[in-house]
Protein backbone atom coordinates (compact mmCIF):
# COMPACT_ATOMS: atom_id res chain seq x y z
CA UNK A 1 0.00 0.00 0.00
CA UNK A 2 1.38 3.38 -0.94
CA UNK A 3 1.54 6.17 1.58
CA UNK A 4 0.68 9.50 0.05
CA UNK A 5 1.42 12.59 2.09
CA UNK A 6 -1.24 15.17 1.63
CA UNK A 7 0.00 18.67 1.08
CA UNK A 8 -1.98 21.57 2.46
CA UNK A 9 -4.24 23.33 0.02
CA UNK A 10 -3.61 26.94 -0.92
CA UNK A 11 -6.58 27.90 1.27
CA UNK A 12 -4.96 26.19 4.25
CA UNK A 13 -1.68 27.95 3.57
CA UNK A 14 -3.35 31.35 3.56
CA UNK A 15 -5.25 31.11 6.83
CA UNK A 16 -4.81 34.06 9.17
CA UNK A 17 -3.13 31.80 11.75
CA UNK A 18 -0.58 30.54 9.23
CA UNK A 19 0.80 33.89 8.06
CA UNK A 20 1.08 37.36 9.47
CA UNK A 21 -0.56 40.16 7.49
CA UNK A 22 2.87 41.27 6.28
CA UNK A 23 3.81 37.73 5.17
CA UNK A 24 0.46 37.27 3.42
CA UNK A 25 0.83 40.60 1.61
CA UNK A 26 4.40 39.75 0.61
CA UNK A 27 3.21 36.40 -0.73
CA UNK A 28 0.58 38.19 -2.84
CA UNK A 29 3.23 40.60 -4.16
CA UNK A 30 5.48 37.69 -5.14
CA UNK A 31 2.61 35.85 -6.84
CA UNK A 32 1.60 38.99 -8.71
CA UNK A 33 5.15 39.45 -9.99
CA UNK A 34 5.05 35.95 -11.50
CA UNK A 35 1.55 36.41 -12.93
CA UNK A 36 1.99 39.85 -14.45
CA UNK A 37 2.76 38.87 -18.04
CA UNK A 38 0.35 35.96 -18.35
CA UNK A 39 -2.51 37.27 -16.21
CA UNK A 40 -2.17 41.01 -15.54
CA UNK A 41 -5.69 41.42 -14.15
CA UNK A 42 -5.15 38.66 -11.59
CA UNK A 43 -1.79 40.21 -10.74
CA UNK A 44 -3.40 43.60 -10.23
CA UNK A 45 -5.91 42.11 -7.80
CA UNK A 46 -3.10 40.51 -5.81
CA UNK A 47 -1.20 43.79 -5.67
CA UNK A 48 -4.33 45.59 -4.48
CA UNK A 49 -4.93 42.89 -1.87
CA UNK A 50 -1.35 43.22 -0.65
CA UNK A 51 -1.63 46.99 -0.46
CA UNK A 52 -4.90 46.69 1.44
CA UNK A 53 -3.57 44.13 3.91
CA UNK A 54 -0.12 45.54 4.67
CA UNK A 55 0.96 48.57 2.63
CA UNK A 56 4.72 49.13 2.44
CA UNK A 57 4.56 52.90 1.94
CA UNK A 58 2.19 55.87 1.81
CA UNK A 59 1.86 55.61 -1.99
CA UNK A 60 0.75 51.99 -1.73
CA UNK A 61 -1.74 52.94 0.98
CA UNK A 62 -3.12 55.67 -1.32
CA UNK A 63 -3.58 53.11 -4.12
CA UNK A 64 -5.36 50.72 -1.76
CA UNK A 65 -7.64 53.48 -0.48
CA UNK A 66 -8.47 54.78 -3.95
CA UNK A 67 -9.21 51.43 -5.56
CA UNK A 68 -11.08 50.01 -2.60
CA UNK A 69 -13.90 52.44 -3.40
CA UNK A 70 -13.91 51.35 -7.03
CA UNK A 71 -14.23 47.64 -6.35
CA UNK A 72 -16.69 47.57 -3.45
CA UNK A 73 -19.55 46.19 -5.58
CA UNK A 74 -17.24 43.62 -7.15
CA UNK A 75 -16.03 42.52 -3.70
CA UNK A 76 -19.61 42.19 -2.47
CA UNK A 77 -20.52 39.99 -5.42
CA UNK A 78 -17.45 37.84 -4.77
CA UNK A 79 -18.65 37.50 -1.18
CA UNK A 80 -22.01 36.23 -2.42
CA UNK A 81 -20.33 33.70 -4.70
CA UNK A 82 -18.03 32.60 -1.88
CA UNK A 83 -20.93 32.03 0.52
CA UNK A 84 -22.74 29.98 -2.14
CA UNK A 85 -19.63 27.86 -2.67
CA UNK A 86 -19.22 27.34 1.08
CA UNK A 87 -22.87 26.29 1.41
CA UNK A 88 -22.60 23.97 -1.60
CA UNK A 89 -19.45 22.36 -0.17
CA UNK A 90 -21.12 21.92 3.23
CA UNK A 91 -24.07 20.18 1.58
CA UNK A 92 -21.73 17.90 -0.40
CA UNK A 93 -19.85 16.95 2.77
CA UNK A 94 -23.10 16.37 4.66
CA UNK A 95 -24.39 14.23 1.80
CA UNK A 96 -21.20 12.17 1.73
CA UNK A 97 -21.46 11.64 5.47
CA UNK A 98 -24.92 10.16 5.03
CA UNK A 99 -23.91 7.77 2.26
CA UNK A 100 -25.22 9.88 -0.63
Amino acid sequence: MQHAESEPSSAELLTPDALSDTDLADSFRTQSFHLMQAHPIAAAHLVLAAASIAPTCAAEQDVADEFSFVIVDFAQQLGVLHRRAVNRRAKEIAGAGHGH
Side-chain angles (χ1 to χ4, degrees), residues 48 51-52 55 58-71:
L48 181 56
S52 297
E60 197 173 59
Q61 181 66 56
D62 289 344
V63 167
D65 292 344
E66 180 69 27
F67 283 98
S68 67
F69 291 109
V70 174
I71 66 166

Side-chain angles (χ1 to χ4, degrees), residues 1-87:
M1 178 185 275
Q2 293 182 7
H3 180 289
E5 289 185 33
S6 64
E7 295 195 19
S9 71
S10 59
E12 291 170 331
L13 292 174
L14 298 179
T15 60
D17 296 336
L19 296 173
S20 70
D21 285 351
T22 301
D23 290 339
L24 181 60
D26 288 344
S27 173
F28 286 163
R29 287 181 187 95
T30 299
Q31 291 175 47
S32 71
F33 177 82
H34 295 293
L35 278 173
M36 189 53 80
Q37 283 193 355
H39 304 285
I41 293 173
H45 285 278
L46 288 173
V47 168
L48 181 56
S52 297
I53 293 168
T56 58
C57 63
E60 197 173 59
Q61 181 66 56
D62 289 344
V63 167
D65 292 344
E66 180 69 27
F67 283 98
S68 67
F69 291 109
V70 174
I71 66 166
V72 168
D73 290 336
F74 175 66
Q76 289 173 342
Q77 289 302 314
L78 284 178
V80 168
L81 293 174
H82 177 73
R83 285 188 296 281
R84 286 180 187 164
V86 167
N87 290 337

